[in-house]
Amino acid sequence: MTMDKAELSFEQAMDKLEEIVTQLENGDVPLEKAIGLFQEGMEMSRMCSEKLDQIERKVELLIEENGTIGKKPFLAEMDEGETD
């Protein structure tokens, strides 16, 4: 059963991307197939990035500040512990 790429969840796209990277890193793929895998990997990467952007926009809308919904920049965990 094959799933349309547009129907892939973020996790499924990441799993597919990891599978492609593993195949390419092994180096035992013919050149033509490697190019196809690379193209598919780029598509999976783009899809994951778009899904993350959508989720970030949803999170921004859900952040409540002083009883009103407003945007607040998202800080990664790594950024929170850093000081200037």
Side-chain angles (χ1 to χ4, degrees), residues 11-75:
E11 291 79 10
Q12 290 168 324
M14 281 297 295
D15 288 343
K16 182 65 179 167
L17 182 57
E18 288 176 11
E19 179 183 314
I20 290 168
V21 168
T22 299
Q23 288 179 18
L24 290 173
E25 285 180 341
N26 287 337
D28 58 353
V29 179
L31 181 60
E32 293 81 15
K33 185 174 180 180
I35 291 171
L37 287 170
F38 180 79
Q39 289 174 326
E40 186 177 4
M42 292 300 295
E43 185 176 341
M44 292 293 112
S45 176
R46 179 189 51 76
M47 186 182 306
C48 288
S49 178
E50 288 173 359
K51 288 183 184 287
L52 285 174
D53 287 344
Q54 291 170 356
I55 292 168
E56 183 178 1
R57 284 191 294 274
K58 287 180 184 178
V59 168
E60 286 177 342
L61 291 174
L62 293 173
I63 294 175
E64 188 172 332
E65 191 169 26
N66 296 328
T68 61
I69 294 178
K71 287 187 178 183
K72 186 175 178 182
F74 177 78
L75 298 175

